[in-house]
Amino acid sequence: MRRILIIGGGYAGFYTAWKLEKKLRRDEAEVVVVEPRPYMTYQPFLPEVVAGSVEARHAAISLRRNLRRTKLVTGMVNHIGHDARTVVIRPAHGPDFTMTYDILVVTAGAVTRTFDVPGVAERAIGMKHVEEAVAIRDRVLTAFDEAAGLEPGPDRRRLLTFTFVGGGFSGVEGFAELMSLAEALVKYYPTLSVDDLAFHLVEASGRILPEVTEKPGRWVVRMLERRGAQVHLNTTMDSAENGHVVLSDGSTFDSELIVWTAGNAATRLLRNHTDLPHTPRGLVQVRADLRIGTDETFVPDAWAAGDDAAVPDLTSPGAFTVPNAQNAVREGKRLAKNLIRALRGREPKNYLHHSFGSIATLGLGKGIFQYRGLVIKGLPAWLMHRGYHVLSIPTWDRKVRVFSTWLTAFFYGRDIVSLSSVQTPREAFQLEATATSLSSDRSH
């Protein structure tokens, strides 16, 4: 029986495996997914996880629960040798090992693109995974608790200054939802006011939200500024050492929280540890039918999709598909169908998808939607965002759980409890154990 090895359990990998399970005949092929996390992250909900509008676990889709006929390997692929049909896997525990395959599917996704900015590696946090969104939320809540006990001054100002670097959808949505959370928190802290809060959005280009046209993008900037944000366009971060932010426009300030969302980059696996063809940016070179290769030739038994693949956009000749959830989901579904066609001796079909438009949440009750020349703003766009994503998130249990959380929040408000201590869960136990040990030593 042939083995189909899927590297990555994100959007494209999950949907490829999910659809293969439904369409493969019994004993036609074995499907194996290699993924370091036991779940697929539904990334459009991460900004709402930051704001507390969606529970963290509800934005994570269990691989084991939903891929019941797929073999799941917890680990990371750190080398692909396609000529020999082998990969080297680094498991969560134990030594590296080699696995063979017959057909390879590369859906490893992308990583957050970083630059050599002093202090960023030590101080910043990304926003691509559920754990990061939870940590951002807990840092905001903890910052309010700490700031409430301080007199007005630089320490309080630093705790309540929040900085996002990157003006794409991920950055702007996360930034706006964090603003919404912070604005809602103020009423619970009598010693604090909105004047104590500072929000900075840093973008290297001259506009934010490149997926929408320029006029709606300017509207979003004005809306954020009316709410108290400082949007730094055509600006880069020069330094963030010890939380002291220095921007290229001359601005300097201290910021307790720095969130880095400045674009995506190919994984090191694809840049340095494979014999598969890739672009100068490190993305896998993919044909329109999702086979790895070029228009003239393709690599046998090798496929790719998602953020790690340079997939030709047939709706815009010469361009590649935008690396977003909308494309990754549909590429995964098409890839599964094409694999079935190839296994049964038929020619695969090209991936062609006309965009449904761009939609973003900008905080509670605020959003923006654009489809070609149609632009919808404010509450209607926010409702459209929620409706679209509750329908799009896979599995009915997640749809019901997310909708139930929204319904609960409508009547009782968002939860404002910080669980930052979960990041050091043994601290209380260790302190007590140490104190007990010292007490015992003194008694002797």
Side-chain angles (χ1 to χ4, degrees):
M1 186 164 56
R2 306 189 78 184
R3 173 180 289 168
I4 301 172
L5 179 67
I6 301 175
I7 300 176
Y11 283 112
F14 173 80
Y15 276 94
T16 299
W18 207 25
K19 293 300 179 183
L20 283 174
E21 285 195 348
K22 296 178 180 180
K23 294 183 176 296
L24 279 172
R25 301 179 187 131
R26 190 168 297 277
D27 298 328
E28 188 172 16
E30 174 194 26
V31 180
V32 178
V33 172
V34 183
E35 164 63 38
R37 290 178 172 81
Y39 57 83
M40 182 204 87
T41 301
Y42 191 74
Q43 291 186 348
F45 277 154
L46 292 187
E48 295 203 52
V49 172
V50 169
S53 301
V54 170
E55 288 293 328
R57 285 184 176 84
H58 299 171
I61 314 302
S62 170
L63 298 179
R64 293 193 181 277
R65 180 171 181 173
N66 295 287
L67 301 178
R68 299 185 180 181
R69 293 173 52 198
T70 297
K71 179 180 179 181
L72 298 174
V73 178
T74 303
M76 295 185 65
V77 173
N78 57 27
H79 180 77
I80 300 172
H82 189 66
D83 285 345
R85 301 296 194 274
T86 61
V87 295
V88 178
I89 299 173
R90 177 161 296 165
H93 301 285
D96 294 1
F97 65 93
T98 299
M99 178 178 285
T100 60
Y101 62 84
D102 299 290
I103 300 171
L104 180 69
V105 178
V106 182
T107 55
V111 296
T112 302
R113 181 179 60 185
T114 58
F115 302 93
D116 189 20
V117 178
V120 165
E122 295 78 21
R123 298 289 304 190
I125 184 172
M127 203 179 72
K128 287 185 72 69
H129 304 292
V130 171
E131 303 94 326
E132 292 172 321
V134 171
I136 292 168
R137 171 178 165 76
D138 284 341
R139 287 191 190 183
V140 173
L141 295 171
T142 301
F144 269 79
D145 287 335
E146 294 176 356
L150 298 175
E151 295 296 324
D155 288 339
R156 176 194 277 191
R157 188 69 173 176
R158 173 182 57 81
L159 285 168
L160 298 179
T161 297
F162 310 107
T163 306
F164 272 65
V165 181
F169 260 73
S170 177
V172 171
E173 287 188 304
F175 181 73
E177 288 288 349
L178 184 146
M179 288 185 68
S180 181
L181 171 63
E183 291 161 356
L185 286 174
V186 169
K187 65 181 179 181
Y188 299 106
Y189 294 87
T191 59
L192 303 178
S193 72
V194 291
D195 294 333
D196 293 312
L197 307 178
F199 307 96
H200 296 269
L201 178 62
V202 182
E203 168 54 40
S205 69
R207 52 173 299 197
I208 62 173
L209 298 179
E211 293 88 345
V212 303
T213 53
E214 190 170 347
K215 188 175 180 180
R218 290 199 302 269
W219 175 83
V220 174
V221 170
R222 291 195 301 271
M223 185 271 292
L224 292 173
E225 290 177 338
R226 284 196 300 270
R227 291 168 59 188
Q230 295 185 54
V231 181
H232 305 264
L233 299 178
N234 295 309
T235 303
T236 57
M237 180 178 283
D238 291 341
S239 176
E241 289 186 294
N242 299 316
H244 181 69
V245 175
V246 179
L247 303 181
S248 63
D249 65 359
S251 302
T252 62
F253 51 88
D254 292 327
S255 181
E256 176 67 14
L257 177 65
I258 301 170
V259 182
W260 190 274
T261 63
N264 295 326
T267 65
R268 289 187 296 275
L269 167 69
L270 300 177
R271 293 196 302 265
N272 305 314
H273 304 288
T274 177
D275 55 1
L276 296 172
H278 51 78
T279 69
R281 288 183 54 207
L283 302 176
V284 181
Q285 185 70 54
V286 178
R287 295 154 49 101
D289 60 12
L290 303 179
R291 288 185 287 192
I292 295 176
T294 64
D295 290 339
E296 293 73 29
T297 185
F298 64 87
V299 179
D301 300 321
W303 307 73
D307 291 357
D308 63 358
V311 180
D313 185 353
L314 299 184
T315 68
S316 181
F320 297 116
T321 57
V322 177
N324 59 19
Q326 195 175 130
N327 278 312
V329 168
R330 286 158 183 80
E331 287 171 10
K333 293 178 179 179
R334 169 47 55 194
L335 200 159
K337 293 176 182 177
N338 281 353
L339 270 172
I340 298 293
R341 294 178 69 89
L343 283 169
R344 297 172 186 172
R346 300 166 64 190
E347 283 297 310
K349 293 183 178 181
N350 288 343
Y351 171 72
L352 174 63
H353 172 61
H354 295 277
S355 174
F356 295 151
S358 299
I359 191 165
T361 175
L362 301 171
L364 195 63
K366 306 174 185 69
I368 187 166
F369 167 78
Q370 180 173 19
Y371 177 71
R372 297 182 180 176
L374 174 65
V375 178
I376 300 175
K377 306 171 185 174
L379 180 62
W382 179 78
L383 292 172
M384 290 171 64
H385 178 275
R386 287 205 158 183
Y388 173 77
H389 284 299
V390 80
L391 291 174
S392 296
I393 190 170
T395 77
W396 276 102
D397 78 292
R398 283 302 180 259
K399 298 178 196 295
V400 172
R401 291 175 193 274
V402 168
F403 186 76
S404 298
T405 301
W406 286 340
L407 194 62
T408 302
F410 179 79
F411 289 105
Y412 299 106
R414 67 181 94 212
D415 197 327
I416 63 166
V417 175
S418 170
L419 294 177
S420 58
S421 59
V422 300
Q423 297 173 42
T424 55
R426 297 184 64 245
E427 184 175 13
F429 175 82
Q430 287 175 310
L431 286 173
E432 183 62 26
T434 301
T436 301
S437 177
L438 291 172
S439 177
S440 176
D441 289 344
R442 291 192 190 99
S443 66
H444 290 85

